[in-house]
Amino acid sequence: MEHEEMSLFPGLSRRDFLKTCGALAGLIGLSGPMAVPKVAEALEQLAKRPAVVWSLFQECLGCSVNLLQSRKPAPANLILQQISLNYHEAVMAAAGDQAEKSFNDTVNSGDFYYIVEGAIATTPKEAITIHGKTAADIVTSTYKKAKATICIGSCSCYGNIQAAAPNPTGAKGVGDFLRQDAGIPDAVVINSPRCPGNADDTVAILLYVLVNKKLPELDSIGRPKFLFGVTVHDNCERRGHFDNGEFVQVFGDEGSDKGWCLYKVGCKGPVTYAPCPKTRWNGQHGWPVTSGGPCIGCAEPDFWDKLTPFYDKAPGFHIPGDITPAQIGVGLGALTAVGIGAHFIGQAATGRLFKGGPVEGKEEEAGPKEGGK
């Protein structure tokens, strides 16, 4: 029976289906014996093809490409097969008036989820129009009728590169636009940043809403805490090298060859909240740090202005760069006294300082860490 093909998900065996449900349950923070059945029930709801309207505004289409290129049996592939994507300008067969009718019919039903990709132009609003209507007008009217609005990618969340100084079109994220310009001060949207937006994030958020029948808890800038609650640095596979004081000094040096920490060549992982080390990219095969490139902080608002140049050290995060790990241990009290950093204090408090958290490929040898991560 476990190899029986699922009728609702053609090509997927029951074993693979339940395995996927287990992975998704972990991603959205469910545990216990009922976690997998709850996710399975939610996926069956998806199989009833809930309607989704997907708007594209000021963006590069990268978020859509990431979803469309998801790999079987990846969760994103499952949802792409099962949702009723009633409107998506880039992939739908209809065009012009026919496409507009599909959009209006779905929105007027009030039974749909609204996904937005791209920033909203405000000065002038006519910087982007679709079928004679500005992005500002479209998102304002559609938000009011949607069951939930999810912003995919940093453009729709915060404006991204379109909002970089001098921001000639007054580009804003959807939430800021609705609250500041559209007269909806209490507007709530779910922000799922990163550049491009990650397909697994999209699936996890939709599943969370369906399983829990409510929006996820959001942080102060609208990101789901279950996905964006910890920094890239906290989950990085090179974290052990940071704890050991092993850094790449320049690209191509011995540290690069050995896969050491990229903090000194610009990694913004310590100041960036995102699940990149867990959900990764390209079928979860890798992410920038795996390939030897630093995190550029693309999940953070204004990263294009505040976290550049990309190869400079992360602002507001400091380490005693000229001090060896041994010296750090001897001088910990003094370093604390002069305020070298709360980060190292936390390391000492949790007993990880100088113990060198397990580095990539040595997890089993080092044994499980507290918290199970």
Short mmCIF file of all heavy atoms in Angstrom, two decimals, residues 63-133:
data_model
loop_
_atom_site.label_atom_id
_atom_site.label_comp_id
_atom_site.label_asym_id
_atom_site.label_seq_id
_atom_site.Cartn_x
_atom_site.Cartn_y
_atom_site.Cartn_z
N CYS A 63 10.94 35.35 -8.78
CA CYS A 63 10.18 34.58 -7.79
C CYS A 63 9.30 33.55 -8.49
O CYS A 63 9.19 32.41 -8.03
CB CYS A 63 9.32 35.53 -6.95
SG CYS A 63 10.23 36.83 -6.11
N SER A 64 8.68 33.94 -9.59
CA SER A 64 7.85 32.99 -10.33
C SER A 64 8.70 31.87 -10.92
O SER A 64 8.33 30.70 -10.89
CB SER A 64 7.11 33.71 -11.47
OG SER A 64 6.12 34.56 -10.96
N VAL A 65 9.85 32.24 -11.45
CA VAL A 65 10.74 31.24 -12.04
C VAL A 65 11.15 30.22 -10.98
O VAL A 65 11.19 29.01 -11.24
CB VAL A 65 11.98 31.90 -12.65
CG1 VAL A 65 13.02 30.86 -13.05
CG2 VAL A 65 11.58 32.74 -13.87
N ASN A 66 11.42 30.69 -9.78
CA ASN A 66 11.82 29.78 -8.72
C ASN A 66 10.73 28.77 -8.42
O ASN A 66 11.00 27.59 -8.20
CB ASN A 66 12.17 30.56 -7.46
CG ASN A 66 12.67 29.67 -6.34
OD1 ASN A 66 11.94 29.34 -5.41
ND2 ASN A 66 13.92 29.23 -6.45
N LEU A 67 9.48 29.21 -8.42
CA LEU A 67 8.36 28.29 -8.17
C LEU A 67 8.15 27.35 -9.35
O LEU A 67 8.01 26.14 -9.19
CB LEU A 67 7.08 29.07 -7.90
CG LEU A 67 5.83 28.22 -7.64
CD1 LEU A 67 6.01 27.41 -6.37
CD2 LEU A 67 4.60 29.10 -7.54
N LEU A 68 8.19 27.90 -10.56
CA LEU A 68 7.92 27.09 -11.74
C LEU A 68 8.99 26.03 -11.99
O LEU A 68 8.73 25.00 -12.60
CB LEU A 68 7.79 27.99 -12.97
CG LEU A 68 6.62 28.98 -12.93
CD1 LEU A 68 6.71 29.96 -14.08
CD2 LEU A 68 5.30 28.23 -12.97
N GLN A 69 10.21 26.30 -11.52
CA GLN A 69 11.30 25.35 -11.74
C GLN A 69 11.50 24.42 -10.55
O GLN A 69 12.51 23.73 -10.48
CB GLN A 69 12.60 26.09 -12.04
CG GLN A 69 12.59 26.78 -13.41
CD GLN A 69 13.94 27.37 -13.76
OE1 GLN A 69 14.76 27.62 -12.88
NE2 GLN A 69 14.17 27.59 -15.04
N SER A 70 10.56 24.42 -9.60
CA SER A 70 10.69 23.51 -8.47
C SER A 70 10.67 22.08 -8.98
O SER A 70 10.12 21.76 -10.03
CB SER A 70 9.55 23.73 -7.48
OG SER A 70 8.31 23.49 -8.11
N ARG A 71 11.32 21.20 -8.22
CA ARG A 71 11.57 19.85 -8.72
C ARG A 71 10.71 18.81 -8.02
O ARG A 71 10.55 18.83 -6.81
CB ARG A 71 13.05 19.50 -8.51
CG ARG A 71 13.96 20.47 -9.22
CD ARG A 71 15.40 20.16 -8.94
NE ARG A 71 16.24 21.17 -9.59
CZ ARG A 71 17.56 21.14 -9.58
NH1 ARG A 71 18.19 20.17 -8.97
NH2 ARG A 71 18.24 22.09 -10.18
N LYS A 72 10.20 17.90 -8.79
CA LYS A 72 9.40 16.80 -8.27
C LYS A 72 10.26 15.87 -7.44
O LYS A 72 11.37 15.54 -7.85
CB LYS A 72 8.78 16.04 -9.43
CG LYS A 72 7.80 14.96 -9.06
CD LYS A 72 7.24 14.32 -10.30
CE LYS A 72 6.25 13.24 -9.93
NZ LYS A 72 5.64 12.61 -11.12
N PRO A 73 9.77 15.44 -6.26
CA PRO A 73 8.46 15.74 -5.67
C PRO A 73 8.54 16.87 -4.66
O PRO A 73 7.98 16.74 -3.57
CB PRO A 73 8.12 14.42 -5.00
CG PRO A 73 9.46 13.94 -4.51
CD PRO A 73 10.49 14.42 -5.50
N ALA A 74 9.24 17.95 -4.97
CA ALA A 74 9.35 19.05 -4.04
C ALA A 74 7.97 19.58 -3.68
O ALA A 74 7.05 19.54 -4.49
CB ALA A 74 10.20 20.17 -4.64
N PRO A 75 7.82 20.10 -2.45
CA PRO A 75 6.53 20.64 -2.03
C PRO A 75 6.00 21.69 -3.00
O PRO A 75 4.80 21.75 -3.28
CB PRO A 75 6.85 21.26 -0.67
CG PRO A 75 7.98 20.44 -0.15
CD PRO A 75 8.80 20.11 -1.36
N ALA A 76 6.90 22.56 -3.50
CA ALA A 76 6.44 23.60 -4.42
C ALA A 76 5.84 22.99 -5.68
O ALA A 76 4.87 23.51 -6.24
CB ALA A 76 7.61 24.52 -4.79
N ASN A 77 6.40 21.87 -6.11
CA ASN A 77 5.86 21.20 -7.28
C ASN A 77 4.45 20.70 -7.00
O ASN A 77 3.55 20.76 -7.85
CB ASN A 77 6.78 20.05 -7.67
CG ASN A 77 6.34 19.37 -8.95
OD1 ASN A 77 5.50 18.47 -8.91
ND2 ASN A 77 6.88 19.80 -10.08
N LEU A 78 4.26 20.18 -5.79
CA LEU A 78 2.94 19.69 -5.40
C LEU A 78 1.90 20.79 -5.48
O LEU A 78 0.83 20.63 -6.07
CB LEU A 78 2.98 19.14 -3.97
CG LEU A 78 3.59 17.77 -3.75
CD1 LEU A 78 3.51 17.42 -2.28
CD2 LEU A 78 2.85 16.75 -4.58
N ILE A 79 2.22 21.93 -4.88
CA ILE A 79 1.22 22.99 -4.82
C ILE A 79 0.96 23.57 -6.20
O ILE A 79 -0.15 23.95 -6.53
CB ILE A 79 1.65 24.09 -3.84
CG1 ILE A 79 0.45 24.98 -3.51
CG2 ILE A 79 2.76 24.95 -4.38
CD1 ILE A 79 0.71 25.95 -2.39
N LEU A 80 2.01 23.62 -7.02
CA LEU A 80 1.81 24.16 -8.37
C LEU A 80 0.84 23.30 -9.15
O LEU A 80 0.06 23.80 -9.96
CB LEU A 80 3.16 24.24 -9.09
CG LEU A 80 3.16 25.02 -10.39
CD1 LEU A 80 2.80 26.48 -10.13
CD2 LEU A 80 4.53 24.94 -11.06
N GLN A 81 0.86 22.00 -8.88
CA GLN A 81 -0.07 21.10 -9.57
C GLN A 81 -1.48 21.24 -9.04
O GLN A 81 -2.45 21.01 -9.77
CB GLN A 81 0.38 19.65 -9.40
CG GLN A 81 1.66 19.29 -10.14
CD GLN A 81 2.04 17.84 -9.89
OE1 GLN A 81 1.32 17.10 -9.23
NE2 GLN A 81 3.18 17.44 -10.40
N GLN A 82 -1.62 21.61 -7.76
CA GLN A 82 -2.92 21.47 -7.12
C GLN A 82 -3.68 22.76 -6.92
O GLN A 82 -4.89 22.71 -6.70
CB GLN A 82 -2.74 20.77 -5.76
CG GLN A 82 -2.06 19.42 -5.86
CD GLN A 82 -2.75 18.48 -6.84
OE1 GLN A 82 -3.95 18.56 -7.04
NE2 GLN A 82 -1.98 17.61 -7.47
N ILE A 83 -3.02 23.91 -6.91
CA ILE A 83 -3.78 25.14 -6.76
C ILE A 83 -4.41 25.51 -8.10
O ILE A 83 -3.97 25.06 -9.16
CB ILE A 83 -2.90 26.31 -6.27
CG1 ILE A 83 -1.83 26.65 -7.31
CG2 ILE A 83 -2.31 26.01 -4.92
CD1 ILE A 83 -1.03 27.88 -6.97
N SER A 84 -5.46 26.30 -8.01
CA SER A 84 -6.05 26.83 -9.22
C SER A 84 -5.47 28.23 -9.43
O SER A 84 -5.95 29.20 -8.85
CB SER A 84 -7.58 26.90 -9.09
OG SER A 84 -8.14 27.46 -10.26
N LEU A 85 -4.42 28.30 -10.20
CA LEU A 85 -3.76 29.57 -10.44
C LEU A 85 -4.54 30.33 -11.51
O LEU A 85 -4.26 30.26 -12.69
CB LEU A 85 -2.31 29.33 -10.88
CG LEU A 85 -1.37 30.55 -10.92
CD1 LEU A 85 -1.32 31.24 -9.57
CD2 LEU A 85 0.04 30.12 -11.34
N ASN A 86 -5.57 31.02 -11.05
CA ASN A 86 -6.54 31.62 -11.97
C ASN A 86 -5.99 32.82 -12.73
O ASN A 86 -6.52 33.18 -13.77
CB ASN A 86 -7.79 32.05 -11.19
CG ASN A 86 -8.57 30.85 -10.70
OD1 ASN A 86 -8.16 29.71 -10.89
ND2 ASN A 86 -9.70 31.09 -10.06
N TYR A 87 -4.94 33.44 -12.17
CA TYR A 87 -4.41 34.62 -12.85
C TYR A 87 -2.92 34.74 -12.56
O TYR A 87 -2.51 34.83 -11.39
CB TYR A 87 -5.14 35.87 -12.39
CG TYR A 87 -4.68 37.14 -13.07
CD1 TYR A 87 -5.23 37.54 -14.28
CD2 TYR A 87 -3.68 37.93 -12.50
CE1 TYR A 87 -4.80 38.70 -14.91
CE2 TYR A 87 -3.25 39.09 -13.12
CZ TYR A 87 -3.81 39.47 -14.32
OH TYR A 87 -3.37 40.63 -14.94
N HIS A 88 -2.11 34.69 -13.58
CA HIS A 88 -0.67 34.91 -13.49
C HIS A 88 -0.23 35.32 -14.89
O HIS A 88 -0.18 34.49 -15.80
CB HIS A 88 0.05 33.64 -13.05
CG HIS A 88 1.52 33.84 -12.75
ND1 HIS A 88 2.42 34.30 -13.69
CD2 HIS A 88 2.24 33.65 -11.61
CE1 HIS A 88 3.62 34.37 -13.15
NE2 HIS A 88 3.54 33.99 -11.88
N GLU A 89 0.05 36.61 -15.05
CA GLU A 89 0.26 37.16 -16.39
C GLU A 89 1.34 36.44 -17.18
O GLU A 89 1.26 36.35 -18.41
CB GLU A 89 0.62 38.64 -16.27
CG GLU A 89 -0.49 39.49 -15.69
CD GLU A 89 0.05 40.57 -14.76
OE1 GLU A 89 1.26 40.86 -14.82
OE2 GLU A 89 -0.74 41.12 -13.98
N ALA A 90 2.35 35.92 -16.49
CA ALA A 90 3.49 35.36 -17.21
C ALA A 90 3.26 33.94 -17.71
O ALA A 90 3.94 33.49 -18.64
CB ALA A 90 4.73 35.39 -16.32
N VAL A 91 2.33 33.20 -17.09
CA VAL A 91 2.19 31.79 -17.46
C VAL A 91 0.80 31.43 -17.97
O VAL A 91 0.61 30.34 -18.50
CB VAL A 91 2.55 30.86 -16.27
CG1 VAL A 91 3.97 31.08 -15.82
CG2 VAL A 91 1.58 31.06 -15.11
N MET A 92 -0.17 32.32 -17.81
CA MET A 92 -1.53 31.97 -18.24
C MET A 92 -1.67 32.08 -19.75
O MET A 92 -0.99 32.90 -20.40
CB MET A 92 -2.56 32.86 -17.53
CG MET A 92 -2.46 34.33 -17.85
SD MET A 92 -3.46 35.37 -16.73
CE MET A 92 -5.08 34.65 -16.91
N ALA A 93 -2.54 31.24 -20.27
CA ALA A 93 -2.72 31.25 -21.72
C ALA A 93 -3.50 32.46 -22.18
O ALA A 93 -3.27 33.00 -23.27
CB ALA A 93 -3.45 29.97 -22.16
N ALA A 94 -4.44 32.91 -21.35
CA ALA A 94 -5.27 34.05 -21.73
C ALA A 94 -4.46 35.33 -21.73
O ALA A 94 -3.42 35.44 -21.08
CB ALA A 94 -6.44 34.17 -20.75
N ALA A 95 -4.97 36.33 -22.48
CA ALA A 95 -4.33 37.64 -22.52
C ALA A 95 -5.41 38.70 -22.71
O ALA A 95 -6.56 38.38 -23.07
CB ALA A 95 -3.31 37.71 -23.65
N GLY A 96 -5.04 39.95 -22.44
CA GLY A 96 -5.95 41.06 -22.69
C GLY A 96 -7.25 40.96 -21.91
O GLY A 96 -7.26 40.64 -20.72
N ASP A 97 -8.37 41.19 -22.60
CA ASP A 97 -9.67 41.21 -21.93
C ASP A 97 -10.01 39.86 -21.30
O ASP A 97 -10.64 39.79 -20.25
CB ASP A 97 -10.77 41.58 -22.93
CG ASP A 97 -10.68 43.04 -23.37
OD1 ASP A 97 -10.00 43.83 -22.67
OD2 ASP A 97 -11.26 43.38 -24.41
N GLN A 98 -9.60 38.76 -21.96
CA GLN A 98 -9.89 37.43 -21.43
C GLN A 98 -9.18 37.21 -20.09
O GLN A 98 -9.76 36.68 -19.14
CB GLN A 98 -9.46 36.36 -22.42
CG GLN A 98 -9.90 34.96 -22.04
CD GLN A 98 -9.47 33.92 -23.07
OE1 GLN A 98 -8.70 34.21 -23.97
NE2 GLN A 98 -9.99 32.72 -22.93
N ALA A 99 -7.93 37.64 -20.00
CA ALA A 99 -7.18 37.51 -18.74
C ALA A 99 -7.80 38.40 -17.67
O ALA A 99 -7.94 38.00 -16.51
CB ALA A 99 -5.72 37.89 -18.97
N GLU A 100 -8.18 39.60 -18.06
CA GLU A 100 -8.79 40.52 -17.10
C GLU A 100 -10.10 39.96 -16.55
O GLU A 100 -10.42 40.12 -15.37
CB GLU A 100 -9.05 41.86 -17.78
CG GLU A 100 -9.52 42.96 -16.84
CD GLU A 100 -8.46 43.42 -15.86
OE1 GLU A 100 -7.30 42.96 -15.96
OE2 GLU A 100 -8.79 44.23 -14.97
N LYS A 101 -10.87 39.28 -17.41
CA LYS A 101 -12.12 38.66 -16.94
C LYS A 101 -11.84 37.58 -15.89
O LYS A 101 -12.54 37.48 -14.88
CB LYS A 101 -12.89 38.05 -18.11
CG LYS A 101 -14.23 37.44 -17.70
CD LYS A 101 -14.97 36.86 -18.91
CE LYS A 101 -16.37 36.37 -18.50
NZ LYS A 101 -16.33 35.40 -17.41
N SER A 102 -10.81 36.76 -16.13
CA SER A 102 -10.45 35.73 -15.17
C SER A 102 -10.07 36.36 -13.84
O SER A 102 -10.46 35.87 -12.76
CB SER A 102 -9.28 34.90 -15.71
OG SER A 102 -8.91 33.90 -14.78
N PHE A 103 -9.30 37.45 -13.89
CA PHE A 103 -8.91 38.15 -12.68
C PHE A 103 -10.15 38.66 -11.93
O PHE A 103 -10.31 38.41 -10.73
CB PHE A 103 -7.99 39.33 -13.04
CG PHE A 103 -7.53 40.14 -11.88
CD1 PHE A 103 -6.37 39.82 -11.20
CD2 PHE A 103 -8.26 41.24 -11.44
CE1 PHE A 103 -5.94 40.58 -10.11
CE2 PHE A 103 -7.85 42.00 -10.35
CZ PHE A 103 -6.69 41.68 -9.69
N ASN A 104 -11.01 39.37 -12.64
CA ASN A 104 -12.18 39.96 -11.99
C ASN A 104 -13.14 38.91 -11.44
O ASN A 104 -13.69 39.07 -10.34
CB ASN A 104 -12.92 40.87 -12.98
CG ASN A 104 -12.12 42.14 -13.29
OD1 ASN A 104 -11.35 42.61 -12.45
ND2 ASN A 104 -12.30 42.68 -14.49
N ASP A 105 -13.36 37.83 -12.19
CA ASP A 105 -14.26 36.78 -11.73
C ASP A 105 -13.78 36.18 -10.41
O ASP A 105 -14.56 35.92 -9.49
CB ASP A 105 -14.40 35.68 -12.79
CG ASP A 105 -15.21 36.14 -14.00
OD1 ASP A 105 -15.85 37.21 -13.91
OD2 ASP A 105 -15.17 35.45 -15.02
N THR A 106 -12.47 35.91 -10.34
CA THR A 106 -11.92 35.30 -9.12
C THR A 106 -11.96 36.28 -7.96
O THR A 106 -12.38 35.92 -6.85
CB THR A 106 -10.47 34.86 -9.37
OG1 THR A 106 -10.43 33.97 -10.48
CG2 THR A 106 -9.91 34.16 -8.15
N VAL A 107 -11.53 37.50 -8.19
CA VAL A 107 -11.50 38.49 -7.10
C VAL A 107 -12.91 38.77 -6.59
O VAL A 107 -13.14 38.86 -5.38
CB VAL A 107 -10.81 39.77 -7.57
CG1 VAL A 107 -10.96 40.89 -6.53
CG2 VAL A 107 -9.33 39.50 -7.84
N ASN A 108 -13.85 38.90 -7.48
CA ASN A 108 -15.22 39.22 -7.05
C ASN A 108 -15.87 38.06 -6.29
O ASN A 108 -16.83 38.27 -5.54
CB ASN A 108 -16.07 39.58 -8.27
CG ASN A 108 -15.67 40.92 -8.87
OD1 ASN A 108 -15.14 41.78 -8.16
ND2 ASN A 108 -15.90 41.10 -10.16
N SER A 109 -15.35 36.84 -6.44
CA SER A 109 -15.89 35.71 -5.69
C SER A 109 -15.52 35.81 -4.21
O SER A 109 -16.23 35.27 -3.35
CB SER A 109 -15.35 34.38 -6.25
OG SER A 109 -13.99 34.19 -5.86
N GLY A 110 -14.42 36.49 -3.90
CA GLY A 110 -13.98 36.62 -2.52
C GLY A 110 -13.38 35.36 -1.95
O GLY A 110 -12.98 35.32 -0.78
N ASP A 111 -13.29 34.29 -2.73
CA ASP A 111 -12.79 33.01 -2.26
C ASP A 111 -11.45 32.72 -2.93
O ASP A 111 -11.34 31.86 -3.82
CB ASP A 111 -13.80 31.90 -2.57
CG ASP A 111 -13.38 30.57 -1.98
OD1 ASP A 111 -12.52 30.56 -1.07
OD2 ASP A 111 -13.89 29.52 -2.43
N PHE A 112 -10.43 33.45 -2.52
CA PHE A 112 -9.12 33.29 -3.16
C PHE A 112 -8.02 33.81 -2.25
O PHE A 112 -8.27 34.57 -1.30
CB PHE A 112 -9.10 34.06 -4.49
CG PHE A 112 -9.04 35.57 -4.31
CD1 PHE A 112 -7.85 36.26 -4.46
CD2 PHE A 112 -10.18 36.28 -3.97
CE1 PHE A 112 -7.79 37.63 -4.29
CE2 PHE A 112 -10.14 37.65 -3.81
CZ PHE A 112 -8.95 38.34 -3.98
N TYR A 113 -6.81 33.36 -2.52
CA TYR A 113 -5.60 33.87 -1.86
C TYR A 113 -4.87 34.77 -2.85
O TYR A 113 -4.79 34.46 -4.05
CB TYR A 113 -4.70 32.72 -1.41
CG TYR A 113 -5.34 31.86 -0.34
CD1 TYR A 113 -6.09 30.72 -0.68
CD2 TYR A 113 -5.23 32.18 1.00
CE1 TYR A 113 -6.70 29.95 0.29
CE2 TYR A 113 -5.83 31.41 1.98
CZ TYR A 113 -6.56 30.29 1.62
OH TYR A 113 -7.17 29.53 2.58
N TYR A 114 -4.33 35.87 -2.34
CA TYR A 114 -3.69 36.85 -3.20
C TYR A 114 -2.17 36.82 -2.98
O TYR A 114 -1.70 37.04 -1.86
CB TYR A 114 -4.24 38.24 -2.89
CG TYR A 114 -3.82 39.32 -3.86
CD1 TYR A 114 -3.62 39.05 -5.21
CD2 TYR A 114 -3.64 40.63 -3.43
CE1 TYR A 114 -3.25 40.05 -6.10
CE2 TYR A 114 -3.27 41.64 -4.32
CZ TYR A 114 -3.08 41.34 -5.64
OH TYR A 114 -2.71 42.32 -6.53
N ILE A 115 -1.44 36.52 -4.03
CA ILE A 115 0.03 36.53 -3.97
C ILE A 115 0.52 37.69 -4.83
O ILE A 115 0.08 37.87 -5.96
CB ILE A 115 0.61 35.20 -4.47
CG1 ILE A 115 0.23 34.06 -3.50
CG2 ILE A 115 2.13 35.29 -4.61
CD1 ILE A 115 0.75 32.69 -3.90
N VAL A 116 1.43 38.47 -4.25
CA VAL A 116 1.97 39.63 -4.96
C VAL A 116 3.47 39.47 -5.12
O VAL A 116 4.18 39.15 -4.16
CB VAL A 116 1.67 40.95 -4.21
CG1 VAL A 116 2.20 42.14 -5.01
CG2 VAL A 116 0.17 41.10 -3.96
N GLU A 117 3.93 39.70 -6.32
CA GLU A 117 5.35 39.67 -6.65
C GLU A 117 5.69 41.03 -7.27
O GLU A 117 5.14 41.41 -8.30
CB GLU A 117 5.63 38.54 -7.64
CG GLU A 117 7.08 38.42 -8.09
CD GLU A 117 7.26 37.26 -9.08
OE1 GLU A 117 6.34 36.43 -9.23
OE2 GLU A 117 8.34 37.19 -9.70
N GLY A 118 6.57 41.79 -6.64
CA GLY A 118 6.95 43.08 -7.19
C GLY A 118 6.51 44.25 -6.34
O GLY A 118 5.54 44.18 -5.57
N ALA A 119 7.23 45.37 -6.50
CA ALA A 119 6.97 46.57 -5.71
C ALA A 119 5.84 47.40 -6.32
O ALA A 119 5.46 47.21 -7.48
CB ALA A 119 8.24 47.42 -5.63
N ILE A 120 5.32 48.33 -5.49
CA ILE A 120 4.25 49.22 -5.90
C ILE A 120 4.83 50.61 -6.19
O ILE A 120 5.47 51.20 -5.31
CB ILE A 120 3.16 49.33 -4.81
CG1 ILE A 120 2.72 47.93 -4.36
CG2 ILE A 120 1.97 50.14 -5.33
CD1 ILE A 120 2.16 47.06 -5.45
N ALA A 121 4.60 51.14 -7.39
CA ALA A 121 5.06 52.48 -7.73
C ALA A 121 4.08 53.50 -7.17
O ALA A 121 2.86 53.34 -7.30
CB ALA A 121 5.16 52.63 -9.24
N THR A 122 4.62 54.57 -6.54
CA THR A 122 3.73 55.59 -5.95
C THR A 122 3.94 56.98 -6.55
O THR A 122 3.05 57.82 -6.47
CB THR A 122 3.95 55.68 -4.42
OG1 THR A 122 5.29 56.09 -4.16
CG2 THR A 122 3.69 54.33 -3.77
N THR A 123 5.14 57.24 -7.12
CA THR A 123 5.40 58.57 -7.68
C THR A 123 6.20 58.44 -8.97
O THR A 123 7.43 58.47 -8.93
CB THR A 123 6.17 59.43 -6.68
OG1 THR A 123 7.35 58.73 -6.24
CG2 THR A 123 5.31 59.78 -5.49
N PRO A 124 5.56 58.35 -10.12
CA PRO A 124 4.11 58.38 -10.28
C PRO A 124 3.53 56.96 -10.19
O PRO A 124 4.22 55.98 -10.48
CB PRO A 124 3.94 58.93 -11.69
CG PRO A 124 5.13 58.40 -12.43
CD PRO A 124 6.26 58.37 -11.42
N LYS A 125 2.27 56.86 -9.83
CA LYS A 125 1.61 55.56 -9.78
C LYS A 125 1.56 54.92 -11.16
O LYS A 125 1.54 53.69 -11.29
CB LYS A 125 0.18 55.71 -9.23
CG LYS A 125 0.12 56.15 -7.78
CD LYS A 125 -1.33 56.26 -7.30
CE LYS A 125 -1.39 56.67 -5.85
NZ LYS A 125 -2.78 56.83 -5.37
N GLU A 126 1.55 55.78 -12.19
CA GLU A 126 1.44 55.27 -13.56
C GLU A 126 2.75 54.65 -14.05
O GLU A 126 2.84 54.24 -15.22
CB GLU A 126 1.02 56.40 -14.49
CG GLU A 126 -0.40 56.92 -14.29
CD GLU A 126 -0.54 57.77 -13.03
OE1 GLU A 126 0.51 58.22 -12.51
OE2 GLU A 126 -1.67 57.99 -12.59
N ALA A 127 3.75 54.55 -13.19
CA ALA A 127 5.00 53.91 -13.60
C ALA A 127 4.77 52.46 -13.98
O ALA A 127 5.56 51.87 -14.73
CB ALA A 127 6.05 54.01 -12.48
N ILE A 128 3.72 51.86 -13.46
CA ILE A 128 3.35 50.50 -13.88
C ILE A 128 1.83 50.41 -13.92
O ILE A 128 1.15 50.70 -12.92
CB ILE A 128 3.95 49.42 -12.97
CG1 ILE A 128 3.49 48.03 -13.45
CG2 ILE A 128 3.62 49.64 -11.51
CD1 ILE A 128 4.26 46.89 -12.81
N THR A 129 1.31 50.05 -15.07
CA THR A 129 -0.13 49.87 -15.22
C THR A 129 -0.39 48.53 -15.90
O THR A 129 0.42 48.04 -16.70
CB THR A 129 -0.77 50.99 -16.07
OG1 THR A 129 -0.23 50.94 -17.40
CG2 THR A 129 -0.52 52.36 -15.46
N ILE A 130 -1.54 47.95 -15.57
CA ILE A 130 -1.96 46.68 -16.17
C ILE A 130 -3.42 46.84 -16.59
O ILE A 130 -4.28 47.14 -15.76
CB ILE A 130 -1.80 45.52 -15.17
CG1 ILE A 130 -0.33 45.37 -14.79
CG2 ILE A 130 -2.34 44.22 -15.78
CD1 ILE A 130 -0.08 44.40 -13.66
N HIS A 131 -3.66 46.66 -17.86
CA HIS A 131 -5.01 46.80 -18.41
C HIS A 131 -5.64 48.13 -18.01
O HIS A 131 -6.82 48.23 -17.64
CB HIS A 131 -5.90 45.64 -17.93
CG HIS A 131 -7.01 45.32 -18.90
ND1 HIS A 131 -8.30 45.75 -18.71
CD2 HIS A 131 -7.03 44.62 -20.05
CE1 HIS A 131 -9.08 45.34 -19.70
NE2 HIS A 131 -8.32 44.64 -20.53
N GLY A 132 -4.82 49.19 -18.05
CA GLY A 132 -5.31 50.53 -17.77
C GLY A 132 -5.41 50.90 -16.31
O GLY A 132 -5.83 52.02 -15.97
N LYS A 133 -5.03 49.99 -15.41
CA LYS A 133 -5.12 50.29 -13.98
C LYS A 133 -3.71 50.28 -13.38
O LYS A 133 -2.87 49.46 -13.77
CB LYS A 133 -6.00 49.25 -13.26
CG LYS A 133 -7.45 49.27 -13.71
CD LYS A 133 -8.30 48.28 -12.93
CE LYS A 133 -7.94 46.85 -13.26
NZ LYS A 133 -8.84 45.87 -12.62
#
